[in-house]
């Protein structure tokens, strides 16, 4: 009698999300090292003093058959932004190559502080004008300032 042994499944599963590095995750290499350090210091200071978490993510692509906004929401959920701060969190996802930006908030943040309408206004009136001038750091920084000002 012959027996067949099962081959172990050695298929490698690749996550659709990059691994979080810190508060600033520049996977598209938009920012200089100095800009990343400045943004990261700002977000670390804000988190320690106000107990709210903000992550900035730049990406140059998303999985096929995926909408940018849905991907931005899913990466925020996957990384659990705000989990250590009573679910006070938001994520800014930017793609220079795809010409897209999204501010994703936790439910608590959206319901109590930063409505979808407010976030849309920050994107359209503060961030995009700077992005159109190729000033990505300024656009992110000015947008973060607007969000933080309302979220203190």
């Amino acid at each position: 009698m012959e027996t067949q042994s099962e081959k172990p499944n050695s298929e490698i599963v690749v996550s659709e999300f990059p691994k979080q590095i810190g508060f600033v995750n520049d996977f598209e290499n938009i920012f200089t090292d100095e800009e990343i350090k400045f943004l990261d210091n700002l977000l670390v200071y804000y988190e320690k003093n106000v107990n709210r978490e903000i992550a900035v993510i730049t990406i140059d692509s998303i999985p096929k058959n995926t909408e940018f906004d849905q991907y931005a929401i899913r990466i925020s959920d996957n990384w659990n932004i705000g989990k250590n701060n009573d679910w006070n969190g938001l994520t800014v996802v930017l793609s220079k190559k795809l010409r897209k930006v999204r501010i994703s908030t936790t439910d608590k943040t959206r319901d109590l502080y930063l409505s979808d309408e407010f976030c849309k206004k920050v994107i359209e009136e503060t961030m995009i004008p700077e992005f159109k001038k190729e000033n990505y750091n300024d656009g992110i920084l000015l947008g973060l300032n607007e969000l933080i000002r309302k979220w203190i």
Side-chain angles (χ1 to χ4, degrees), residues 34-80:
E34 293 80 22
E35 291 169 340
I36 291 171
K37 186 175 182 179
F38 184 86
L39 287 169
D40 197 59
N41 286 340
L42 169 71
L43 298 179
V44 167
Y45 179 85
Y46 182 70
E47 190 269 338
K48 285 186 193 288
N49 288 284
V50 185
N51 199 37
R52 298 193 175 129
E53 189 174 315
I54 300 174
V56 174
I57 306 167
T58 69
I59 53 174
D60 62 2
S61 65
I62 59 174
K64 289 184 183 195
N65 302 318
T66 304
E67 290 183 25
F68 184 85
D69 288 347
Q70 289 305 311
Y71 183 80
I73 292 167
R74 290 190 359 247
I75 195 171
S76 299
D77 291 345
N78 181 268
W79 286 9
N80 290 316

Side-chain angles (χ1 to χ4, degrees), residues 89-146:
L90 74 82
T91 308
V92 178
V93 182
L94 167 67
S95 177
K96 175 182 171 183
K97 182 179 176 184
L98 301 174
R99 300 174 55 99
K100 300 277 188 181
V101 61
R102 164 83 187 205
I103 298 171
S104 296
T105 59
T106 59
D107 291 340
K108 181 177 181 178
T109 299
R110 182 179 50 254
D111 293 343
L112 297 178
Y113 308 101
L114 303 173
S115 68
D116 289 342
E117 293 78 21
F118 179 79
C119 291
K120 183 178 179 186
K121 182 178 178 186
V122 168
I123 289 170
E124 291 176 353
E125 295 179 12
T126 305
M127 299 171 111
I128 288 177
E130 293 301 320
F131 297 163
K132 285 181 177 178
K133 296 184 276 186
E134 299 284 313
N135 296 332
Y136 293 96
N137 182 64
D138 291 349
I140 290 292
L141 191 56
L142 290 169
L144 290 174
N145 284 337
E146 290 292 315

